[in-house]
Amino acid sequence: QAEALNKIDGERPEIVIGIEVPSEVLIERLSRRWICPSCQAIYDLTVQPAKGQGQCDVCQGKLVQRPDDDPVVIRERIKVYAEQTAKLKDYYLRKRSYRPVDGRGTIEEIFQRIVHVVDEALGKGEIRRVET
């Protein structure tokens, strides 16, 4: 897909942001995730716990952990992801389009890192700003 996109418009400036998080951090984050099967509300046992013990704040449904949020399954998911995306990351590294962003911290901290990377690339003229 990346090569096909390049054939469509190989002259367009581009930036590819890779939000990078160590595997152990991902495993810890995902294994804390619980959901409500009724309303799909998502809770994090540490960052955003439900107010009631194992009960959804929205609809009072019983919270469950998805089977794919088990640490063993998460490790396999990470392995498959790495295998499937390594070539794509390498492709954009060779094109000097890839920008890693540290994915640890709060959503706001990560967002600010992304903004900084994009602003830096815009300032260097590497990507163009689209006016609306």
Short mmCIF file of all heavy atoms in Angstrom, two decimals, residues 9 14 26 32 36 43 53 99 116 123:
data_model
loop_
_atom_site.label_atom_id
_atom_site.label_comp_id
_atom_site.label_asym_id
_atom_site.label_seq_id
_atom_site.Cartn_x
_atom_site.Cartn_y
_atom_site.Cartn_z
N ASP A 9 1.22 9.71 -5.94
CA ASP A 9 1.75 11.06 -5.78
C ASP A 9 3.08 10.99 -5.04
O ASP A 9 3.17 11.28 -3.86
CB ASP A 9 0.76 11.94 -5.01
CG ASP A 9 1.21 13.39 -4.91
OD1 ASP A 9 2.25 13.74 -5.51
OD2 ASP A 9 0.53 14.18 -4.24
N GLU A 14 5.62 14.13 2.96
CA GLU A 14 4.93 13.24 3.88
C GLU A 14 5.69 13.14 5.19
O GLU A 14 6.90 13.37 5.24
CB GLU A 14 4.75 11.85 3.29
CG GLU A 14 6.03 11.08 3.10
CD GLU A 14 5.83 9.76 2.38
OE1 GLU A 14 4.71 9.41 2.02
OE2 GLU A 14 6.84 9.09 2.16
N LEU A 26 2.99 -1.60 27.17
CA LEU A 26 1.74 -1.98 26.50
C LEU A 26 1.03 -3.11 27.24
O LEU A 26 -0.19 -3.07 27.43
CB LEU A 26 2.02 -2.41 25.05
CG LEU A 26 2.36 -1.31 24.07
CD1 LEU A 26 2.75 -1.91 22.73
CD2 LEU A 26 1.20 -0.36 23.91
N ARG A 32 -4.76 -3.86 32.27
CA ARG A 32 -5.57 -3.11 33.25
C ARG A 32 -6.93 -2.71 32.68
O ARG A 32 -7.75 -2.13 33.37
CB ARG A 32 -4.85 -1.81 33.65
CG ARG A 32 -3.59 -1.98 34.41
CD ARG A 32 -3.07 -0.64 34.93
NE ARG A 32 -3.28 0.48 34.04
CZ ARG A 32 -2.31 1.30 33.62
NH1 ARG A 32 -1.07 1.11 33.99
NH2 ARG A 32 -2.58 2.31 32.83
N CYS A 36 -17.44 -2.68 29.67
CA CYS A 36 -18.83 -3.05 29.95
C CYS A 36 -19.39 -3.64 28.67
O CYS A 36 -19.48 -2.95 27.65
CB CYS A 36 -19.63 -1.83 30.37
SG CYS A 36 -21.40 -2.21 30.58
N TYR A 43 -12.77 1.07 31.04
CA TYR A 43 -12.17 1.49 32.30
C TYR A 43 -10.75 0.99 32.39
O TYR A 43 -10.39 -0.05 31.85
CB TYR A 43 -12.98 0.95 33.49
CG TYR A 43 -14.38 1.49 33.51
CD1 TYR A 43 -15.41 0.83 32.84
CD2 TYR A 43 -14.68 2.68 34.16
CE1 TYR A 43 -16.70 1.33 32.84
CE2 TYR A 43 -15.97 3.20 34.16
CZ TYR A 43 -16.97 2.52 33.49
OH TYR A 43 -18.24 3.03 33.48
N GLN A 53 -17.48 -1.25 42.51
CA GLN A 53 -16.61 -2.43 42.43
C GLN A 53 -17.06 -3.34 41.28
O GLN A 53 -18.06 -4.04 41.39
CB GLN A 53 -16.68 -3.20 43.77
CG GLN A 53 -15.71 -4.33 43.88
CD GLN A 53 -14.34 -3.85 44.36
OE1 GLN A 53 -14.18 -2.73 44.79
NE2 GLN A 53 -13.37 -4.73 44.27
N ARG A 99 8.88 9.43 11.81
CA ARG A 99 9.21 10.18 13.02
C ARG A 99 8.70 9.41 14.24
O ARG A 99 7.50 9.26 14.41
CB ARG A 99 8.57 11.57 13.02
CG ARG A 99 8.91 12.45 11.85
CD ARG A 99 10.37 12.85 11.85
NE ARG A 99 10.66 13.86 10.86
CZ ARG A 99 10.75 13.65 9.56
NH1 ARG A 99 10.54 12.47 9.06
NH2 ARG A 99 11.06 14.62 8.72
N HIS A 116 4.48 18.70 18.32
CA HIS A 116 5.85 19.20 18.17
C HIS A 116 6.52 18.62 16.92
O HIS A 116 7.16 19.36 16.15
CB HIS A 116 6.66 18.86 19.42
CG HIS A 116 8.10 19.25 19.31
ND1 HIS A 116 8.54 20.56 19.42
CD2 HIS A 116 9.20 18.50 19.07
CE1 HIS A 116 9.85 20.59 19.26
NE2 HIS A 116 10.28 19.36 19.05
N GLY A 123 7.80 23.43 9.81
CA GLY A 123 8.77 24.52 9.83
C GLY A 123 9.93 24.28 8.89
O GLY A 123 10.50 25.22 8.34
#
